Amino acid sequence: MHQAVISGTGLWVAPHAISNQELVAAYNQYAETFNHTHADAIAAGTVAALQPSSVEFIEKASGIKQRYVVEKTGVLDPARMRPRLQARPDEALSLMAETGVAAAKEALQAAGRDAADIGMVICAASNMQRQYPAMAVEIQQALGAGGFAFDMNVACSSATFGIAQAVNAVQTGQVTAALVINPELTSSHHCWTDRDCHFIFGDVCTAVVVERADQSKAAHRWQVEGCKLATLFSNNIRNNAGFMNRSEDRNPDDRDLLFYQEGRKVFKDVCPMAAEHMEQHLQELGHAPADVRRYWLHQANLAMNQLIAKRLLGRDPSADEAPIILDEFANTASAGSIIAFHRHQADLQAGDLGMVCSFGAGYSIGSVVLRKV
Ligand code: CO8
């Protein structure tokens, strides 16, 4: 068995920021127009009036202050409330692949690798732009990477589950270097007209190079001590969009064809599950939670992260121990913990222990324990 390291990370940030103030103004305008248009039905009690959203609620309930998106005029247009995207011809690089290539190039540069050194490309994300050909194969070709490529989806845990597959492939000698890419273009499968969740998501893409430790030339290298994955079926986070919708004669605007959730239940179920999972993983590797210098946690909700870290450490974590990026990026599905890792790892010293952990739909939980080389 070979040792595997994470030797480079990359981040593509979507070009347009939307503040909570802008978002709430657009939503409230939408709600006012809806209530006006449906005034008779609302008065008759057959349609429920929409309540206004508020910046204060969003910041208190989630910790999110803004998000980045691929396109913002469509999202903020009360008559549209979704991004305005142009379909591209088959010959052009697709949008999702474009973001993947950008993040991957940065990760390759950090690792001191050329695309040709890569033997496996995994595109791991909550939603793919199309069914096939695989996004990963398009990215592989655009980069000039070798070997093989495939897509996988474990919702918010896609990145950690993808890293685990790359680590297995490197450890067993199937490949010497792999790229795991997480294009989370959430704005197109997010319901911007639902007050309960309209503030939650943002667009981003992350990338990670995993390679053989004895061949790595990177300045910052993290030895992978172990990966632990777990799933437990739940309907509390769901999106029913799929290739059978057409045959089911569904209305394409049905609410369940976009992200929906029981946020409170998710919070209550997932916090203890994630803390227990992480504690067990550390124990299996001979570590205690206090041995970990930094936790790079999934970024869905500030209180959730604080609660999980508190369960592990027995006290409130400092921003240095469990950095937060969701105030700037919002929830970016599987990319969140990787953004935290990308942004907050260069200052750690050789020998420091770190842990990446994601949790979300499925339910799914994935953790990766890393030691700075
Ligand atoms: N403005 C003002 N008031 C509001 C708003 C709003 N925008 N929204 C709700 N309220 C009101 C409610 O009506 C309710 O009022 P009342 O008490 O009178 O009934 C009150 O505020 C409280 O509402 P909630 O109970 O819903 O609020 P919470 O405190 O639970 O906060 C959260 C809601 C922030 C959603 C919280 O529950 C949470 O973060 N939960 C965790 C969810 C989570 O982690 N989910 C993971 C999803 S990500 C994932 O797995 C990947 C999926 C794939 C990606 C999809 C990309 C699109």
Side-chain angles (χ1 to χ4, degrees), residues 328-349:
E328 177 184 351
F329 287 88
N331 183 342
T332 49
S334 75
S337 57
I338 308 300
I339 303 173
F341 177 58
H342 174 80
R343 285 265 178 100
H344 299 280
Q345 49 121 334
D347 60 310
L348 297 195
Q349 305 299 311

Side-chain angles (χ1 to χ4, degrees), residues 17 145 327 372:
D327 52 344
K372 183 106 186 233

Side-chain angles (χ1 to χ4, degrees), residues 2 7 26 40 49 63 66 71 88 106 113 124 130 151 204 215-216 270 280 320-321 354:
H2 303 286
S7 56
D40 291 345
Q66 65 155 42
E71 203 286 321
R88 297 181 183 183
E106 190 185 348
R113 286 277 163 216
R130 59 167 184 263
D151 292 349
V204 82
Q215 296 187 5
S216 175
V270 170
Q280 257 178 30
D320 185 65
E321 288 170 314

Side-chain angles (χ1 to χ4, degrees), residues 53-365:
S53 183
S54 93
V55 171
E56 295 68 36
F57 171 84
I58 294 171
E59 293 184 3
K60 189 158 170 277
S62 71
I64 294 165
K65 296 195 170 127
Q66 65 155 42
R67 69 286 299 141
Y68 297 104
V69 290
V70 168
E71 203 286 321
K72 88 183 236 184
T73 65
V75 172
L76 296 181
D77 177 353
R80 181 176 172 90
M81 303 294 277
R82 61 185 190 278
R84 246 181 219 106
L85 302 181
Q86 286 284 320
R88 297 181 183 183
D90 287 358
E91 298 71 33
L93 189 67
S94 64
L95 175 60
M96 202 164 168
E98 185 183 305
T99 70
V101 167
K105 281 186 175 166
E106 190 185 348
L108 287 168
Q109 193 180 21
R113 286 277 163 216
D114 292 326
D117 300 329
I118 298 295
M120 174 165 94
V121 178
I122 302 176
C123 179
S126 299
N127 273 273
M128 298 298 160
Q129 187 174 342
R130 59 167 184 263
Q131 304 292 339
Y132 48 80
M135 303 310 306
V137 179
E138 188 181 6
I139 295 170
Q140 174 198 23
Q141 191 216 30
L143 286 170
F148 62 97
F150 61 92
D151 292 349
M152 54 178 278
N153 175 356
V154 201
C156 283
S157 294
S158 298
T160 48
F161 276 57
I163 288 170
Q165 306 322 305
V167 167
N168 286 344
V170 168
Q171 286 179 335
T172 57
Q174 187 183 20
V175 298
T176 55
L179 258 171
V180 182
I181 302 172
N182 322 107
E184 291 290 4
L185 303 188
T186 62
S187 60
S188 286
H189 53 96
H190 178 36
C191 186
W192 297 94
T193 57
D194 184 337
R195 181 180 81 135
D196 288 349
C197 65
H198 75 119
F199 53 89
I200 290 183
F201 290 104
D203 296 336
V204 82
C205 181
T206 51
V208 167
V209 174
V210 178
E211 63 175 316
R212 262 173 65 166
D214 59 357
Q215 296 187 5
S216 175
K217 312 177 269 194
H220 295 281
R221 271 172 288 155
W222 290 89
Q223 185 183 314
V224 181
E225 288 206 353
C227 302
K228 185 177 172 75
L229 312 178
T231 50
L232 177 71
F233 186 70
S234 166
N235 277 321
N236 288 334
I237 313 170
R238 216 176 148 117
N239 178 341
N240 286 329
F243 68 91
M244 287 185 186
N245 297 153
R246 193 173 154 266
S247 308
E248 293 163 347
D249 299 324
R250 298 285 303 263
N251 174 352
D253 287 332
D254 281 348
R255 176 64 188 90
D256 69 324
L257 301 183
L258 295 170
F259 165 90
Y260 63 105
Q261 71 167 352
E262 294 281 350
R264 273 278 158 101
K265 286 188 186 158
V266 174
F267 197 111
K268 208 163 142 265
D269 291 348
V270 170
C271 287
M273 275 169 64
E276 197 178 318
H277 175 100
M278 291 164 78
E279 198 167 5
Q280 257 178 30
H281 190 190
L282 288 167
Q283 200 176 33
E284 285 161 18
L285 295 169
H287 305 306
D291 299 341
V292 176
R293 172 69 185 80
R294 190 162 288 162
Y295 288 97
W296 299 284
L297 299 179
H298 178 55
Q299 305 276 323
N301 179 295
L302 179 59
M304 205 169 182
N305 284 25
Q306 286 169 339
L307 190 65
I308 290 168
K310 193 172 178 177
R311 273 190 185 235
L312 284 165
L313 297 171
R315 57 174 171 77
D316 288 328
S318 70
D320 185 65
E321 288 170 314
I324 295 296
I325 57 89
L326 63 83
D327 52 344
E328 177 184 351
F329 287 88
N331 183 342
T332 49
S334 75
S337 57
I338 308 300
I339 303 173
F341 177 58
H342 174 80
R343 285 265 178 100
H344 299 280
Q345 49 121 334
D347 60 310
L348 297 195
Q349 305 299 311
D352 280 345
L353 199 63
M355 185 176 212
V356 179
C357 186
S358 61
F359 30 87
Y363 295 131
S364 58
I365 306 181

